[in-house]
Amino acid sequence: MSVKTTPTTRAARHSVITEIISSNQIASQEALRLELLERGIVVTQATLSRDLDDLRATKVRFPGGRQGYVLPNPDDVPDATIAARDYLERWCRDLLLTAQVAFNQVVLRTPPGAAQILAASVDRAVIDGVLGCIAGDDTVLLITNSGERAQSLATYLLNIAEQRPSEKEKNA
């Protein structure tokens, strides 16, 4: 009996869809639905259509004439990345109290009730070397791919926290 490892949440489904499209030439929604079904994810055509829309998947013609879905390259959508980095900077300045390194992990402290906001801004900023982020009430745990990356990330976030807000942010 196989153990299910992927929850049926929208975010988990999006992650699996991204993996499938990135590693296969998926020519139709039905082919994608069958790939998801093989992974234990049951989805309707309407939901799958919304998922592809959410992920900004588009159909292209591959060399050889076959069509299939592709996802946008994150480098091709800088506005979203810039906005996410702006939020990260704002929330670091407003909420980050301390950043401490433990091996390949960074423990961030915030005022009570604020950890989720800071963690979400780290997730959205898609920072190289950050493998995952867990938030409690006033603590965020960032797991990185190395001790060196953890140290540089802690320094980076603390430097952001010490910056003054831009004129644009002051007037917002």
Side-chain angles (χ1 to χ4, degrees):
M1 179 173 165
S2 91
V3 175
K4 186 175 179 179
T5 59
T6 305
T8 56
T9 64
R10 179 176 171 264
R13 196 174 58 247
H14 281 194
S15 177
V16 174
I17 290 169
T18 298
E19 184 271 320
I20 291 170
I21 290 175
S22 298
S23 59
N24 301 290
Q25 288 185 1
I26 301 297
S28 67
Q29 288 186 14
E30 180 61 15
L32 180 56
R33 190 187 67 75
L34 292 173
E35 286 285 334
L36 288 166
L37 190 58
E38 284 182 23
R39 290 166 174 79
I41 300 173
V42 178
V43 64
T44 66
Q45 186 277 326
T47 298
L48 189 53
S49 184
R50 279 191 300 274
D51 288 342
L52 290 168
D53 221 27
D54 291 345
L55 294 168
R56 295 189 312 239
T58 55
K59 258 192 170 177
V60 298
R61 189 169 302 279
F62 293 112
R66 185 178 165 138
Q67 289 188 337
Y69 285 101
V70 295
L71 298 172
N73 181 339
D75 295 337
D76 295 339
V77 285
D79 293 343
T81 303
I82 290 168
R85 294 289 170 122
D86 288 346
Y87 280 116
L88 175 62
E89 291 176 11
R90 174 186 173 196
W91 293 122
C92 279
R93 280 193 302 274
D94 290 351
L95 302 175
L96 184 60
L97 302 177
T98 65
Q100 295 181 314
V101 175
F103 302 104
N104 69 320
Q105 302 171 4
V106 182
V107 178
L108 307 176
R109 299 297 299 226
T110 70
Q116 291 288 331
I117 296 168
L118 184 57
S121 69
V122 170
D123 285 338
R124 287 187 189 111
V126 189
I127 300 170
D128 287 337
V130 174
L131 303 176
C133 184
I134 301 169
D137 181 57
D138 64 354
T139 306
V140 177
L141 173 64
L142 302 177
I143 303 168
T144 68
N145 59 5
S146 71
E148 295 80 25
R149 185 64 185 125
Q151 187 60 57
S152 67
L153 180 60
T155 302
Y156 169 71
L157 295 174
L158 287 169
N159 285 339
I160 289 174
E162 293 174 355
Q163 292 176 357
R164 294 181 182 207
S166 67
E167 286 303 314
K168 181 176 86 174
E169 291 173 314
K170 286 181 192 175
N171 296 327

